[in-house]
Amino acid sequence: MNGDSFRNRRNGFETMDGGQTKKPKPKAGGKTIGLIIAVFVVLICAFNATYEIKEQEQAVLITFGQAQAVTEPGLHFKIPFIQQVRKVNTTIQGFAIGYNLANSTSNQDESLMITSDFNFIDVDFYVEYRYSDPVKALYASTNPLAILGNISQSCIRTVISSYTVDDVLTTGKNEIQAAIKEMILNRLAEHDIGIQLVNITIQDSEPPTTEVMEAFKAVETAKQGKETLLNNANKYRNEQLPLAQARADAIIKDAEAKKTERINEATAQVARFNAMYEEYIKNPAITRQRMFYEAMEEVLPGMKILIESSGGNVQTVYPLDSFTGNQENDGYVNYNDEVN
């Protein structure tokens, strides 16, 4: 093989006997690999061009370092490899202060506090929060949840130190929770880190020693008993007052009815007397006689008379009704007795 033939082979040509050159056939495998790579790139771009936001999520769309909040749930599009998406869970979440949620063990570094009357006390809290602004939650601070935890612990210790141990253990829990919540909200508004406090509650409060704890439990039991008795007394009072008021109203109404009745009777008697007096002035003798007869009509029907026979030894008692024409003989007595 001479030099020209060698050069022709290196250049991809093969010299034939007739002096003609023949190009080598291209390989089919190269096209297939290229097609597969193209399809793979298209699929990657397609999958990177969409993202989904669930109902309880918000997203931050980042374009060349510029963040924009996306709050509408559903399927959204972005430019592959240029735009990035970071999602934020907007549901209400929580963490404990003073104890470990995983194994329910106490953490005295967080729970041990001192009250205004210089007593030590263990208080456990549960903090509920949610992300209100996804952009600020991701970029306003490195760890907004840690900031919320530090603010919460600071406000808790500040408020607890202004109350007595009796308030923390018994009657002042609601007031303490409200004061702590208000203080945390004010501090979060100053920092503006895109996280919102939903609620903070006292889970448990007790003295650090067993003896003191038992004593305070006895006090709490006594106070609860007192409240129970007061509630029962108020319940009895609320039940009896309407009954007493109803009886009083009935008595008053009855008295008013009797009063009206007596007034009407007196008025009628006065009118009757005046009418009778007017008749009496016109004819006194006849009026007196008529008044006598009317009085006898009222008195005599209830009286009995005794009639003696001419012999003097027989007595018969008759009701007056037999003389007045009344046929009813109630109370009629008829007997014969020998008079000694």
Side-chain angles (χ1 to χ4, degrees):
M1 180 181 296
N2 55 23
D4 292 337
S5 299
F6 180 75
R7 284 192 296 270
N8 289 335
R9 286 182 180 276
R10 289 185 62 185
N11 291 331
F13 295 94
E14 183 179 356
T15 302
M16 307 299 293
D17 294 337
Q20 296 180 352
T21 60
K22 182 179 180 182
K23 292 183 179 180
K25 294 181 179 180
K27 296 181 179 180
K31 292 184 178 180
T32 304
I33 294 174
L35 182 61
I36 292 174
I37 293 174
V39 172
F40 184 71
V41 171
V42 170
L43 290 176
I44 291 177
C45 292
F47 280 110
N48 285 331
T50 61
Y51 63 96
E52 182 183 5
I53 300 179
K54 297 180 180 179
E55 190 69 28
Q56 300 296 336
E57 288 181 338
Q58 290 185 4
V60 177
L61 183 64
I62 306 168
T63 307
F64 296 114
Q66 297 293 328
Q68 177 185 0
V70 181
T71 60
E72 293 295 330
L75 188 65
H76 299 267
F77 295 92
K78 67 181 180 66
I79 302 174
F81 307 109
I82 296 177
Q83 292 180 321
Q84 297 179 355
V85 176
R86 296 181 64 182
K87 297 180 182 179
V88 175
N89 186 359
T90 57
T91 59
I92 296 177
Q93 305 174 69
F95 60 88
I97 295 178
Y99 68 101
N100 192 336
L101 282 174
N103 52 19
S104 299
T105 58
S106 178
N107 183 1
Q108 285 202 344
D109 292 338
E110 296 179 352
S111 65
L112 188 61
M113 306 176 193
I114 188 169
T115 60
S116 62
D117 52 355
F118 305 105
N119 284 298
F120 288 99
I121 187 171
D122 282 328
V123 189
D124 300 334
F125 287 86
Y126 188 76
V127 181
E128 295 177 285
Y129 68 93
R130 61 182 294 270
Y131 290 105
S132 57
D133 190 327
V135 176
K136 292 180 180 179
L138 293 175
Y139 294 101
S141 62
T142 304
N143 191 346
L145 191 58
I147 296 175
L148 175 60
N150 293 333
I151 291 175
S152 300
Q153 291 190 48
S154 174
C155 294
I156 287 171
R157 293 185 182 277
T158 301
V159 173
I160 292 294
S161 64
S162 63
Y163 284 85
T164 64
V165 66
D166 187 61
D167 293 333
V168 179
L169 290 174
T170 55
T171 58
K173 291 182 179 180
N174 292 332
E175 184 178 347
I176 291 171
Q177 291 175 170
I180 294 173
K181 181 177 181 180
E182 182 179 2
M183 187 176 294
I184 295 175
L185 289 174
N186 294 333
R187 295 279 296 276
L188 286 176
E190 295 174 1
H191 287 76
D192 194 19
I193 55 176
I195 195 169
Q196 177 187 2
L197 176 70
V198 177
N199 197 18
I200 182 168
T201 55
I202 296 177
Q203 297 297 105
D204 192 16
S205 60
E206 59 185 14
T209 61
T210 305
E211 293 80 4
V212 179
M213 182 172 60
E214 293 299 328
F216 275 105
K217 285 184 178 179
V219 173
E220 180 68 16
T221 302
K223 289 185 176 181
Q224 290 178 356
K226 174 186 174 182
E227 293 178 357
T228 301
L229 293 176
L230 287 175
N231 292 334
N232 292 335
N234 290 331
K235 178 182 178 182
Y236 179 77
R237 180 189 65 182
N238 295 333
E239 290 175 352
Q240 294 299 318
L241 281 178
L243 296 177
Q245 187 64 41
R247 288 195 294 266
D249 292 341
I251 293 173
I252 292 174
K253 290 180 180 179
D254 185 59
E256 291 290 341
K258 290 183 178 180
K259 171 186 172 182
T260 303
E261 182 181 358
R262 295 294 294 274
I263 291 175
N264 293 335
E265 289 179 359
T267 302
Q269 290 177 0
V270 170
R272 180 182 177 186
F273 179 81
N274 290 333
M276 190 178 298
Y277 181 71
E278 291 177 359
E279 296 295 329
Y280 178 80
I281 293 175
K282 294 178 182 178
N283 197 336
I286 296 176
T287 303
R288 283 197 298 269
Q289 186 177 8
R290 183 170 61 82
M291 291 174 61
F292 174 77
Y293 289 151
E294 289 177 354
M296 291 299 102
E297 286 179 355
E298 294 179 359
V299 173
L300 290 178
M303 297 178 63
K304 297 179 181 180
I305 61 174
L306 178 65
I307 301 175
E308 295 185 1
S309 63
S310 58
N313 56 357
V314 178
Q315 293 181 344
T316 304
V317 179
Y318 297 94
L320 191 61
D321 292 341
S322 60
F323 295 95
T324 60
N326 191 352
Q327 298 300 321
E328 295 181 358
N329 293 327
D330 293 340
Y332 178 83
V333 180
N334 188 1
Y335 60 92
N336 294 327
D337 291 330
E338 293 184 358
V339 179
N340 296 326

